[in-house]
Amino acid sequence: MTGVLWPWAAAVFRRAVGAAALLALASFILGPLLTLLVWAFAGTWLFPNLLPEFSLRWWTFVLGNADVGKAIRMSLLSAPTATLISAVICIPAAYAFARLEFPAKRALLLSFLSANAFPKIGLYVSIATLLYRLDLMDTFTGVVLIQLVNTLLFMIWIPTGTFRGINRNLEEAARDAGAGPLRTFFQITLPIALPGIIVAGLFAFIAAFDEAQGTLIVGTPNHMTMPVLMYNLVLSYPQPVGAVFSILLSLPSLVLLLFAQRYLRAGYLAAGYSL
């Protein structure tokens, strides 16, 4: 009887341990987000109450702040601009990295990782010094240029891996059928690579949209984005203000992720980072 029950008990124990581990992981990931959501709608939350008095008071305060509207407009303008410029510069370069042979190609490709190899604050200060000499401090152009530092890596590495993964037999078949190089690229290569390029653009947009340190140095006081303004609000106002602004800051990225989820497959990232 004992020999029959022991495997059953062991299976139940394994399932219980697995469920407990999954619950702990979910709590670790979702717990802070739920707390943030509660704080965003907390009018007052005093000890020893387990839940606050819910209110839209801080939403009205944040949305009625003129600086918030200005920061939202700046973020929604600068981040897409930086992403678009990155695409224009990097996609042809990614195609060259994937298909052409030239001296120091691998070293040049690895150089795009250098911006992430050490704390970025030193790099931002150096770039700010250069922008100051070019009279680009506290300008929209300066903000876009500093955001490009965070987007180039994604727009180079992921499309390069995507172009490398395309079966060249399809392109050769198109050439054999009489298509020229440009027609082959736009009708065969580019449509196949498009999902990887969209994933790269998505990550580039999020990197530009969430950039704060460089924009704080280059863009203040008149060109502040949402992450920069969030620093000021968190330091100057009660905790619910920071929670409300965090939700507003995450909404564009969340909407974009939901829109592009059909393209978010691990294969594109694996191809981009396996060079």
Side-chain angles (χ1 to χ4, degrees):
M1 185 67 178
T2 304
V4 174
L5 288 178
W6 175 249
W8 176 83
V12 171
F13 178 75
R14 285 196 297 271
R15 291 180 182 177
V17 171
L22 183 61
L23 181 62
L25 181 61
S27 301
F28 180 77
I29 296 174
L30 298 179
L33 297 179
L34 292 176
T35 304
L36 184 69
L37 193 62
V38 172
W39 269 113
F41 293 95
T44 56
W45 196 354
L46 303 175
F47 181 82
N49 297 333
L50 292 178
L51 291 175
E53 295 180 5
F54 291 105
S55 170
L56 296 177
R57 169 189 173 191
W58 297 112
W59 285 87
T60 305
F61 172 79
V62 170
L63 295 177
N65 190 317
D67 291 338
V68 173
K70 186 178 178 181
I72 291 175
R73 288 193 296 274
M74 174 59 73
S75 290
L76 294 180
L77 189 59
S78 63
T81 302
T83 304
L84 182 61
I85 293 175
S86 296
V88 171
I89 296 173
C90 295
I91 290 177
Y95 186 83
F97 277 122
R99 297 300 176 84
L100 303 180
E101 293 297 332
F102 50 88
K105 183 178 78 171
R106 191 170 184 83
L108 186 59
L109 184 58
L110 289 173
S111 68
F112 285 91
L113 280 174
S114 60
N116 297 274
F118 49 86
K120 288 185 179 177
I121 187 66
L123 180 62
Y124 290 147
V125 171
S126 300
I127 295 175
T129 302
L130 177 62
L131 294 181
Y132 178 79
R133 293 178 179 176
L134 296 174
D135 199 21
L136 291 176
M137 293 293 284
D138 195 15
T139 64
F140 177 78
T141 302
V143 171
V144 171
L145 288 176
I146 206 74
Q147 290 180 348
L148 284 175
V149 175
N150 298 286
T151 62
L152 294 180
L153 172 66
F154 296 110
M155 291 304 296
I156 280 287
W157 276 63
I158 297 177
T160 299
T162 302
F163 283 127
R164 280 188 173 179
I166 295 176
N167 189 343
R168 295 196 180 190
N169 291 332
L170 298 174
E171 297 171 324
E172 292 174 358
R175 298 291 298 272
D176 292 341
L182 288 178
R183 186 177 179 184
T184 300
F185 177 80
F186 284 106
Q187 293 192 352
I188 302 295
T189 308
L190 188 59
I192 297 175
L194 190 58
I197 294 174
I198 291 175
V199 171
L202 172 65
F203 279 89
F205 174 82
I206 293 175
F209 192 79
D210 291 339
E211 203 289 318
Q213 291 180 328
T215 307
L216 178 65
I217 296 172
V218 171
T220 53
N222 297 314
H223 292 79
M224 289 194 294
T225 58
M226 293 176 69
V228 175
L229 182 61
M230 185 176 173
Y231 281 155
N232 296 332
L233 293 178
V234 169
L235 294 175
S236 305
Y237 293 95
Q239 190 170 351
V241 174
V244 170
F245 209 75
S246 297
I247 292 175
L248 292 176
L249 185 60
S250 63
L251 282 179
S253 301
L254 181 62
V255 171
L256 203 58
L257 284 171
L258 292 175
F259 176 74
Q261 60 178 336
R262 58 182 297 189
Y263 301 110
L264 289 174
R265 297 185 175 90
Y268 297 123
L269 296 179
Y273 288 95
S274 61
L275 299 177

